[in-house]
Amino acid sequence: MKKTYLFVFLAVFLLIPVLSVSAQIYEIDSFVNKYAKAYDELVANTYKERSDISYKDEYIEIPNGTEVTLKRIIKNDVDELPNYLRYNAEIIYEGQTKYIYAWNLKFSDKNPEGTKDVLKDYNMSPNMFQIDDKETGTEKIYNELDLRSPEGEMLMSPFFLLAIFVLLVSSLVLNFIFFRSMKKGIKIFKLLYTVITVTTAIILEGYYLIRLGPLSIWFCDVEFYSTGRAALNSIPLILAIYAQIMSIVFLYLPAKDDASSEGSKFKLWPSIVLPILAFIAFIILCFNLPSEFFGVAEGEEATIAQFESAIKLMFKLLLIILPIPSVIYYGIKLKLRGLFLGIYLTFYWIGTLFALGFLILALIKLFVAIFFQILIFVAGAFVVLWVLPKSGISGHYVKNGRVVDSDTPGARYVADTSSPLDDLFDSSSKK
């Protein structure tokens, strides 16, 4: 008897630490919704030696803050998927096995001290890229971002986007209110406020787009929201881009008036064309410079350190070369003010073009989703109104749960469960 008690005691004593380490507790914490979709089943296919994992259509919605137990992580190796959607988590929820995207999980504070957060072992950076280091045989990862870090949560917070929106729209509103004011003090204030707010917004946009990449449009992406909700969420983005474009108009008009008073003509199009020409010149220059200029000996393959050094040098050259033509052009037109205007306009257009690119990407995904929904609706209406009545399938018209005549207003056609097609399939199967 004593041996039995001793055996049970040792078993419990040894198993408790194992269970506390292997069964990590996580909370559902979706970045994009108040819930996470949890699926009953995974579908795994092998195509060209790649693990192609997808979910079946049936799912439930688990609210944020719900505690679940993580069993394992299953990676999807398909290159077309964004990195943050490549990791699937097998969880236990209310005693049942479910599958969700791993980025919807947050390590719970209720885990015992010393419990490892296994999700830290998986890189879910949304916009990283990597290069093989042949010297060490490892991969060098760039632009790595942990979405659960303070930086990641800040970037995925709606308040970060709201800050950019307020900066741009406040500039637009101010310029509309004082559009016709000719007072010198107000004109200077408008100019300074517009330049400061738009410059700050462009810097924040660039930081946001570089760090998040394709995930930047999460708030209006049909991947996460219904088509109607995505369309509604895209309205602030459209308004912000409109405000950013209009800001250049409010800068252009007073600059044009000042140039005219000084007997010169001010035009905006050179601020677009000249940086493009400067970029072409930069590409030609890089191709013609010797490799030694970038710290790489002729005929030798660059190491990771040399590659990083060369990229930094090219970036510095680009920052210097791009604004030079605009600075010269506007410096001649507006003298000292033209020098600052040339630099500002160059980087303004770069930031605006990137923002427009992501807006176009979001709208294309939205329009494609709307197009397919319309296509499905039209196809369904065609089948119900045209194919079924003429196919010989019996049916009847109903309204409010009762059978009515076909000409009754608001009547709906319902096909019978048993039809000539069923008889056809039954007879063919018997043969």
Side-chain angles (χ1 to χ4, degrees):
M1 193 68 178
K2 292 181 178 179
K3 291 182 178 179
T4 304
Y5 284 133
L6 181 61
F7 175 80
V8 172
F9 173 79
L10 290 175
V12 172
F13 181 80
L14 293 173
L15 281 176
I16 286 176
V18 173
L19 292 173
S20 65
V21 173
S22 61
Q24 293 94 345
I25 302 172
Y26 283 81
E27 292 179 6
I28 299 296
D29 186 32
S30 172
F31 284 106
V32 298
N33 271 311
K34 295 180 180 179
Y35 59 86
K37 294 179 180 179
Y39 296 82
D40 294 332
E41 193 174 349
L42 277 181
V43 181
N45 302 312
T46 302
Y47 176 67
K48 292 184 179 180
E49 298 181 352
R50 298 182 307 182
S51 176
D52 183 5
I53 300 169
S54 59
Y55 293 119
K56 287 207 168 181
D57 293 336
E58 298 82 8
Y59 66 87
I60 61 172
E61 297 175 355
I62 305 180
N64 286 348
T66 304
E67 291 184 355
V68 297
T69 302
L70 177 65
K71 291 179 66 177
R72 60 174 176 151
I73 298 294
I74 306 169
K75 184 179 179 182
N76 195 332
D77 293 327
V78 176
D79 295 333
E80 291 76 12
L81 271 180
N83 194 50
Y84 56 92
L85 296 181
R86 288 186 180 180
Y87 297 93
N88 307 276
E90 183 178 316
I91 62 172
I92 299 296
Y93 170 67
E94 295 184 347
Q96 296 180 331
T97 299
K98 300 290 181 181
Y99 298 90
I100 66 172
Y101 286 119
W103 76 312
N104 288 315
L105 294 178
K106 180 181 180 181
F107 192 66
S108 175
D109 295 333
K110 294 184 179 179
N111 284 291
E113 186 177 352
T115 304
K116 180 183 178 182
D117 182 2
V118 295
L119 291 185
K120 295 289 185 181
D121 296 336
Y122 302 93
N123 193 334
M124 302 183 210
S125 300
N127 197 35
M128 72 170 194
F129 65 97
Q130 54 193 35
I131 298 176
D132 295 331
D133 188 350
K134 295 183 178 180
E135 286 186 335
T136 61
T138 59
E139 294 177 338
K140 182 74 173 180
I141 299 176
Y142 298 91
N143 201 31
E144 190 173 3
L145 173 65
D146 180 5
L147 291 174
R148 295 294 172 187
S149 66
E151 181 190 9
E153 292 187 347
M154 177 192 70
L155 289 171
M156 291 298 295
S157 168
F159 295 105
F160 188 88
L161 295 172
L162 181 63
I164 298 175
F165 179 82
V166 169
L167 286 170
L168 293 172
V169 174
S170 64
S171 172
L172 178 68
V173 171
L174 180 71
N175 279 282
F176 270 128
I177 292 174
F178 298 105
F179 180 70
R180 297 186 179 277
S181 177
M182 300 303 294
K183 295 182 180 180
K184 187 175 181 180
I186 293 179
K187 289 174 68 176
I188 293 175
F189 174 72
K190 283 195 307 180
L191 176 65
L192 291 175
Y193 187 83
T194 301
V195 170
I196 292 172
T197 54
V198 174
T199 301
T200 305
I202 288 175
I203 293 172
L204 292 176
E205 285 174 359
Y207 167 60
Y208 177 79
L209 295 176
I210 290 172
R211 296 297 276 155
L212 293 185
L215 190 56
S216 300
I217 58 172
W218 63 267
F219 55 92
C220 58
D221 195 338
V222 292
E223 179 76 26
F224 308 121
Y225 299 103
S226 65
T227 305
R229 175 74 182 277
L232 187 64
N233 290 353
S234 67
I235 294 176
L237 174 61
I238 296 172
L239 182 58
I241 299 298
Y242 170 76
Q244 188 166 324
I245 294 173
M246 284 301 296
S247 69
I248 204 66
V249 176
F250 292 119
L251 287 178
Y252 165 73
L253 294 176
K256 181 182 178 182
D257 294 338
D258 292 343
S260 299
S261 64
E262 295 174 6
S264 179
K265 291 183 179 180
F266 178 82
K267 296 179 181 179
L268 194 59
W269 63 263
S271 66
I272 302 174
V273 176
L274 292 176
I276 294 175
L277 296 176
F279 182 74
I280 295 173
F282 166 76
I283 297 297
I284 295 173
L285 178 66
C286 287
F287 272 109
N288 286 277
L289 285 173
S291 58
E292 286 82 4
F293 179 82
F294 298 103
V296 182
E298 188 69 31
E300 291 186 3
E301 189 172 355
T303 63
I304 291 292
Q306 291 172 329
F307 173 80
E308 291 177 352
S309 177
I311 292 297
K312 290 177 182 178
L313 180 58
M314 291 174 67
F315 185 71
K316 292 176 183 177
L317 282 175
L318 185 62
L319 290 179
I320 294 171
I321 293 174
L322 275 182
I324 286 178
S326 296
V327 167
I328 294 174
Y329 174 81
Y330 290 108
I332 294 173
K333 295 289 183 180
L334 297 172
K335 300 178 182 178
L336 183 61
R337 284 175 299 170
L339 301 179
F340 294 101
L341 187 62
I343 296 173
Y344 174 79
L345 289 176
T346 299
F347 295 105
Y348 165 84
W349 286 119
I350 294 173
T352 302
L353 287 175
F354 273 104
L356 277 172
F358 275 85
L359 173 62
I360 292 170
L361 174 63
L363 293 179
I364 288 175
K365 296 181 74 171
L366 186 60
F367 287 143
V368 168
I370 293 173
F371 171 77
F372 277 107
Q373 286 196 357
I374 294 174
L375 192 65
I376 292 171
F377 175 79
V378 171
F382 176 75
V383 170
V384 171
L385 299 177
W386 182 260
V387 176
L388 290 181
K390 294 184 178 294
S391 63
I393 298 178
S394 61
H396 52 270
Y397 289 86
V398 296
K399 182 179 180 181
N400 297 330
R402 295 186 302 170
V403 178
V404 296
D405 296 331
S406 60
D407 57 351
T408 303
R412 182 168 55 90
Y413 183 82
V414 178
D416 290 337
T417 304
S418 176
S419 70
L421 290 179
D422 295 332
D423 297 336
L424 176 62
F425 290 132
D426 290 340
S427 61
S428 61
S429 62
K430 292 177 181 178
K431 293 179 183 179

